[in-house]
Amino acid sequence: MSVLVGIVVGVVTAWFLRIAGRDMLEFPALERTNYRGVPLPTAGGIVIVLTVLVIEAGRAIAGAAGLGDEPGLTLSRSLVLFAAFGFGFLGFMDDLLGAGGDRGFRGHVRALSQGRLTTGFVKLFDGAGVAVVLVATPGFASGRRLIIDAVLIALAANFANLLDLAPGRLIKVSWVLYIPLAVALGTDAIGVAIAPVMGAALALLPDDLGERLMLGDTGANVIGLGVVLGLGQTSRSSILVVLIVLNVLAEIVSFSRVIERVPPLRAFDRLGQRPERRHA
């Protein structure tokens, strides 16, 4: 029940922030063209970050009034809040300042070899730093698992960004992964803390599918983290291998082309999208 409440509160809060802050996303510097060449506001994922903050502030006020099971800011909620702001900030910087010419890990490394530091490389490098701080927090990971879990988190954020190439794709995939995770976690503290993040992402799905905004790196990074933070230690090791393979493959093949060639994946990818959609 706590998880369901968290999801619903995340949806409602994100809807309110989206409506109240619609002019904020219309800032000219945030305008980018999507795969069809239509200019749209990017960094829509900032709504997810703000949603987490508003909900945690509300929980703190309720706790001070003696309401709720855990009145203070718990370790799990602190982790999710830090992850949302850390990766959200790096993604927002890339959305706002990124030139877009150098894509993928190879593109950023090539630019660095030419004496140019891209916002994408800064995001990757500092994202690893945020991941290290996250997993070094007591209660999440320590010792030999520190670097492994940090790499897992950094790769998850990067892979989520790679998926965010077609309307609604990332949110739909993240929810397919999140549902069994939510069932497995139940009322676990980290599961309850993640719920508002996924609820906020769900609230943005209609705008994402309708091509009224793009999540941008701001949203992609945070959604990717929302799923991975709930994994147990055994699952993390397996998922790490999968993420390494997928991130390497992304440098070689186009996931969008693969999706278009596999009918079930294509049908799921196009579900809810505008009819005139072309290849992303």
Side-chain angles (χ1 to χ4, degrees), residues 112-162:
L112 187 64
S113 68
Q114 297 170 353
R116 295 184 294 109
L117 184 62
T118 65
T119 55
F121 187 86
V122 171
K123 182 184 66 177
L124 289 171
F125 185 79
D126 287 347
V130 172
V132 168
V133 174
L134 267 176
V135 299
T137 303
F140 192 78
S142 60
R144 63 185 181 181
R145 290 206 61 88
L146 178 66
I147 301 301
I148 294 176
D149 284 355
V151 172
L152 169 66
I153 290 175
L155 288 178
N158 187 60
F159 181 65
N161 184 46
L162 294 173

Side-chain angles (χ1 to χ4, degrees), residues 201-245:
L202 185 62
L204 293 180
L205 182 59
D207 282 333
D208 193 13
L209 286 171
E211 299 180 38
R212 292 184 289 273
L213 59 70
M214 292 187 286
L215 294 174
D217 289 3
T218 309
N221 290 351
V222 176
I223 292 174
L225 265 295
V227 176
V228 170
L229 284 176
L231 296 174
Q233 287 196 3
T234 304
S235 301
R236 289 179 214 160
S237 300
S238 303
I239 296 299
L240 175 61
V241 175
V242 174
L243 284 173
I244 290 174
V245 172

